DNA sequence: AAAGTTTTCGAAATCGATTTCTACCGTACC
DNA sequence: GGTACGGTAGAAATCGATTTCGAAAACTTT
């Protein structure tokens, strides 16, 4: 067993490269990492052999030495990945391809499991944490941690943490302004679950714009319910009964909007000619599958992920930050408001 | 700087525990890992101090030593996480809470990016790979790898790899048999994209059952199109025109089914009284949001993930396997077939 | 009490890469 | 030609945990 390369057909180590290139391990390391103190010819030789042997450095060893693992942990409650995946992709993008890898952990809404995942991630020496809540209400802070953490979508309840949340208020304004721009005057709002911060903020945004134009919502207020198509259908039927002259509906989510579209059709009201419909989330499969396509306010998950990545890098660089960053939304116009 | 505990307020290492407990590092290691050769009293002391100091072993160091990182890599093309997240959760479950952490990488359908992620994951010494395709067609094998890999949802095109795929054929049978059990005789099939293996397999399954009962599909064949609501609507209109007496429709996906339901309603056909509807995927938000709720064939993603986890463990234990494992589907009955 | 066993513990090597820090080389200058 | 110097390369320590192996301690046995 004097031949190490026979013992493990596994992977090529730096030692192998150094031996083949006829230099020492430190020299090989310096050459590969572009550090000075290596003659150009030597560096070339090392690079060439590394290439030839298909050398890939063991990230684990590097992590152990310099205390940086090049990984982030993302903890979420999002069972379907609707939020998590775009946010993850956005975060990854800031690092440049493959520089950072992300552990995705699903706590499934269970605090115990979350604690467990957290410990596991810290044991793996992640360089940062992204905590993705499934609703925009403030969630319990994880407290003081040995690595920077950023709360995305749901803000932390501790103002010493850094949170990134979508601008639901601004989204509401966007939706209302869009309808006003189209000349709509009699606007109703079928909202989501009142217990959700997001639902209330969206309502507030709509209200603000209407008030500024000396208008108010049909029925005098928004109608809160649940985040489902069924609620959209029911609410629409009642709404049209009491206010048959309405000409636009803002919906708390795309799912609600789907219900609204269904009900309007049953009631022989044309969209967008008789009634324009705007909703929130811009969940592609729902928004584009509808007839007509739904004009919807996009929460910009990927942008939130990118921001999270940037802030994590900044924090890793020692630049501590706290507070709540509000990420603007954007309106995606489709057939439900413009023919 | 003779006081190491001042230098880094960071984390508690095994050395710290050993020092405080008054034993050597190896002894502390043995005590914590439940290995023999340690007196009961000594072990107790070590365990107590570890607890008191909130010691969490550095997984990175352990990984470096014994060559096992306790991590898996999951590479997917799934932009929304519809497949990946349930599969990831299933895989994690097999390990027991937190024992395995999973790197989630989204290749976004880009081969270059996939290669990149793969290298990155191998550099991080993952113990296994789960490759999740976004369509059931066979995908290019990643070839010989230093760690076991399992292809989920989309099988590998190399028969020396191990793949786990949903039983689309069996799913088709389930759907057809369900309709026959309900006494339906005139069954049509509005399928998805013909270029997808899944679409064709589902059709074959339905055909098999009908043929076994000396029946055939309305129109003599399945109608292929695309995986969209719009296709469901269009196809239904044409179908009812040519075969107004149909009493059941099998849909290639929940999205198609949503279009079918819409169109049937426009045509004043009641579901399920006049026409029963069965679909595939059981995508909750679509299936339960519809009126009536969609009876749908569930692909059991989580079960596929669990199977993947088990097989990876087996492979890590040296038990090589190859071939394709077909994971059964299950029928979830809702209002679109039973009132 | 001496010899033989068993148990318990710790010194040292290991994993793979990085990072000093020192030894050496050749060149340049006086 | 000897000293000084910038530039290269390598020896050794390091990260934190594991593991082997030898030594010391604690018991038995005669």
């Amino acid at each position: 067993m004097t031949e190490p390369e026979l013992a493990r057909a596994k992977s090529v180590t730096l030692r192998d490269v150094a031996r083949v290139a006829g230099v020492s391990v430190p020299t090989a390391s310096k050459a590969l990492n572009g550090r000075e103190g290596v003659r150009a010819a030597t560096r070339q030789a090392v690079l060439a052999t590394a290439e030839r042997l298909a050398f890939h450095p063991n990230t684990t060893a590097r992590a152990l030495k310099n205390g940086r693992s090049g990984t982030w942990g993302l903890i979420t409650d999002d069972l379907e990945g609707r939020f998590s995946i775009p946010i993850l992709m956005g975060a990854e993008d800031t690092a440049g391809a493959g520089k950072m890898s992300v552990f995705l952990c699903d706590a499934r809404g269970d605090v115990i499991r979350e604690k467990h995942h957290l410990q596991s991630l810290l044991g793996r020496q992640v360089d940062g944490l992204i905590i993705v809540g499934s609703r925009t209400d403030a969630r319990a802070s994880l407290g003081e941690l040995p690595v920077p953490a950023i709360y995305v979508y749901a803000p932390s309840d501790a103002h010493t943490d850094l949170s990134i949340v979508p601008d639901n208020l601004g989204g509401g304004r966007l939706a209302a302004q869009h309808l006003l721009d189209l000349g709509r005057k009699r606007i109703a709002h079928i909202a989501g679950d009142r217990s959700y911060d997001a639902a209330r903020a969206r309502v507030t945004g709509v209200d603000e714009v209407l008030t500024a134009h000396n208008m108010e919502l049909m029925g005098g207020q928004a109608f809160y319910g649940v985040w489902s198509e069924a609620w959209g259908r029911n609410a629409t039927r009642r709404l049209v009964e009491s206010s048959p002259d309405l000409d636009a509906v803002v919906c708390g989510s795309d799912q609600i909007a789907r219900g609204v579209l269904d009900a309007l059709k049953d009631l022989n009201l044309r969209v967008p000619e008789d009634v324009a419909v705007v909703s929130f989330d811009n969940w592609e499969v729902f928004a584009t599958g509808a007839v007509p396509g739904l004009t919807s306010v996009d929460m910009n998950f990927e942008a939130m992920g990118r921001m999270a990545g940037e802030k994590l890098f900044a924090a890793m660089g020692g630049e501590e930050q706290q507070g709540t960053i509000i990420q603007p939304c954007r309106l995606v116009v489709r057939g439900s408001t413009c023919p």
Side-chain angles (χ1 to χ4, degrees), chain A residues 181-250:
Chain A
D181 291 347
L182 293 171
R184 306 291 166 149
K185 306 280 188 211
R186 293 176 300 282
I187 301 172
H189 189 350
I190 299 178
D193 188 329
R194 172 175 255 136
S195 73
Y196 281 63
D197 211 69
R200 297 194 305 275
R202 290 167 184 182
V203 168
T204 307
V206 172
D207 270 340
E208 274 185 16
V209 171
L210 294 192
T211 305
H213 287 76
N214 292 316
M215 298 165 58
E216 68 171 7
L217 282 170
M218 297 292 282
Q221 59 176 338
F223 302 102
Y224 288 98
V226 292
W227 303 104
S228 74
E229 296 188 51
W231 160 242
R233 287 188 291 266
N234 292 337
T236 304
R237 280 193 283 270
R238 280 191 277 162
L239 180 63
V240 171
E241 199 168 324
S242 62
S243 318
D245 57 339
L246 92 170
D247 63 8
V249 184
V250 179

Side-chain angles (χ1 to χ4, degrees), chain A residues 293-339:
Chain A
L294 282 170
T295 292
S296 192
V297 176
D298 193 293
M299 301 283 113
N300 274 334
F301 288 123
E302 249 188 273
M304 289 173 60
R306 277 196 297 275
M307 175 69 81
E310 286 166 17
K311 290 300 175 187
L312 273 182
F313 270 119
M316 285 160 58
E319 183 183 321
E320 293 297 333
Q321 271 194 290
Q322 54 189 50
T324 298
I325 296 174
I326 296 172
Q327 187 72 30
C329 301
R330 73 176 205 279
L331 185 77
V332 178
V333 178
R334 296 198 183 84
S336 69
T337 57
C338 297

Side-chain angles (χ1 to χ4, degrees), chain A residues 20-99:
Chain A
V20 173
V23 299
S24 72
V25 172
T27 303
S29 171
K30 287 178 228 164
L32 288 170
N33 292 325
R35 310 193 30 174
E36 54 183 15
V38 182
R39 208 176 359 169
T42 313
R43 164 161 297 148
Q44 261 316 312
V46 172
L47 286 175
T49 39
E51 174 77 19
R52 190 158 60 79
L53 300 183
F55 168 72
H56 291 283
N58 183 328
T59 320
T60 308
R62 178 180 293 168
L64 179 59
K65 181 59 173 73
N66 60 15
R68 289 231 170 146
S69 61
T71 63
W72 284 331
L74 192 158
I75 300 180
T76 182
D77 286 330
D78 179 12
L79 291 173
E80 281 210 339
R82 159 122 177 76
F83 311 146
S84 320
I85 303 273
I87 290 173
L88 188 158
M89 287 178 17
E92 263 188 343
D93 280 351
T94 59
K99 290 264 301 183

Side-chain angles (χ1 to χ4, degrees), chain A residues 5-23:
Chain A
E5 59 269 74
L6 284 183
R8 45 178 55 232
K10 284 188 164 182
S11 57
V12 186
T13 73
L14 187 58
R15 172 140 82 233
D16 299 328
V17 176
R19 185 165 37 78
V20 173
V23 299

